[in-house]
Amino acid sequence: MGPLVALLTLAAEPLAYPAAIYPDQPLVRPTTAVAPAPAGAEGYGFEEPCPLQPRRSVSISAGGDGQTDCSPALSAALASGADEVVFGPGRFLLRPAAGLSDEWSIVTIADRRGLLIRGQGDATSLVAGDPTRGLLRWVDCQNVALRALRVDYNPLPFTQGRVTAADAAGGSLELAVDPDYPSPAAIAAGPAELGGLYRLQQSADGQIRWPQLSHWSATQPERQAGGTWRLRSNGAGDLQPGDRLIWIARRVAQHAVSFWRCQRVWIDGLTVHASPGTGLLLYSTASVQIRRYADLAPTGSNRLLATNADGTFVHGCRDGLSLTDSSYLGQGDDCVNLHSPAWHGRSLQVLDPQQVVALGEDDFRAGDVLEVMDPAAGRLKGQVTVRTAARERTGSRLTLAPGLDTIGFDPATDRLYNTHLAVPRFRLARNYFGPHRGRTLLLQARDGVIEQNTCENAEGYGLVLSYGGTAWSEGVVPQRVTIRDNLFRNLTNVGLAAVIEIFDGASERHFRDLRIERNTFENPRKMAIRATGVDGLQLVDNRIRTALGRRQTWCDPLWWKVDVAVLLERCGRVELRGLELDDPNLTGAGVWISADCDPGDGVRVSGVRAVLPAGVPPVKDLRP
């Protein structure tokens, strides 16, 4: 019997819920530290109140003991024709079942209209009994809502422990697994497409902890006589006894909760404690409202991780997205990623210049505008419009006008992005983003606002505006985005990142009409703002404050050539005014304007108030 088979066989026996991993405590959700401000986001987001008024309700109250398999009860409730399923208080275990499950999720709900699933808030937990699948997947649904419940896993899709020995020459380490966590053998046996080790990093004062990005793998777990596990790992030379490690079994299509091609979705009071992939996936959706979502470990738990991947991954959304009053803490990757998918290579069949088949399950519609990008050269070639769109078995057949030949489309290299799926009219407001691995917000979207959020104590960037290029099938280049009234505190702890990074490596200026105003940056480890290749940028009334010793002042040609707070490169139509800057660490300048920015009024600077070391200029302008 293999380790994975053994794990799933044991799952048929009574499950343990040790208090250190599954504490029975009220959930504490961190909230934004930004004071409320008058609403100013008219036209952004999907703010329509949920209209669902259930007429027939089915209750699932029995079996909430964490042991009873409640999948048959849920299957019967969904088959009953009820438009509301209500879970009572308790832990409701869900295991794969015929007619209910597929390879992606334990529960798949397809082609439903007007369905509400809800619990009793923190008193209700849905527990996934298979750590290799998502829990709840909605497909081709309309007017649906998910409200007031928690999602967790038992067994967890990761393990954690402490390094007891590391042998760099031999390429191995020994790990003492924390009590009651899955064995390394079970993690290694799972069908994970992505996996690896994260070291828990912490600040010098020990107050801030976050999972650190690494490229360390782990294989061949062997149980040792003393109860530890020996792992083969390319990270053995970088690890020391005492290091805290997390080993994940990350999936790419299995997510705790996901919505695929759904329209008009309301999520309120959902909490996700663990996932083999992302916590919440939106795939080619339309009109989504997310309120009071939480992606974090249970309060009082000793878990070092929440979800294995991103907290919320939006792989295409049209007609408005609102994400408000939510909390993120302990993600294995980015907190929130907004983008349109890209079609290229094997995912795009070019039948002729005016007819293509875009493979996959995405929602194309007549009138959608597709943007053509050469990602290797970083060149935006042009746009075409979808005249007709028809779903087929493997994808969508599209007729285009004008033809791809009119803009020099190269099927070997170029990518198509659907701008209507680039999350237009998004709004991210009043959210809390705490310690996690990777980037807090990865934005490859257009026409939106980010306001009144708190982002603090994370490993990497605070907010990245970019596009996937050749590395990821994600886009578009952001345009018409407002970032205002946010607090960015103790970010870029790896020291290799800007808090707000606007960069795509292209030689052209694709970023357009961005506004960054009234934000507070406290103790950025490197730059507060880097803007490269922007046409139309307003930096208004921002405040940057760094305590002595909190900035990394070293420079490197690969990362940063200068030590500055604000860097402008290859920009035009820039207005910077009202900047308050207090940093006793800076060695280069407060604001650095590169020689490749537009001359004269191409960059206008006024009202900079700076407290800096002697000899460090508030503004250094290298333009001729």
Side-chain angles (χ1 to χ4, degrees), residues 73-97:
L74 178 56
S75 183
L78 294 172
S80 71
D83 53 8
E84 181 182 48
V85 178
V86 181
F87 284 90
R91 286 191 178 110
F92 295 87
L93 177 64
L94 298 172
R95 290 188 168 129

Side-chain angles (χ1 to χ4, degrees), residues 337-401:
N337 183 334
L338 307 183
H339 62 267
S340 166
W343 288 269
H344 61 99
R346 288 178 295 179
S347 66
L348 184 69
Q349 297 177 353
V350 181
L351 306 180
D352 60 57
Q354 292 186 311
Q355 188 171 207
V356 301
V357 176
L359 302 180
E361 302 182 60
D362 302 274
D363 175 25
F364 286 92
R365 303 180 188 180
D368 285 355
V369 175
L370 309 184
E371 202 159 78
V372 180
M373 175 75 80
D374 176 352
R379 185 163 66 92
L380 183 61
K381 289 187 169 180
Q383 295 179 335
V384 296
T385 300
V386 176
R387 295 181 59 191
T388 63
R391 284 285 304 163
E392 297 183 345
R393 185 177 62 85
T394 59
S396 297
R397 182 180 293 265
L398 313 176
T399 57
L400 309 175

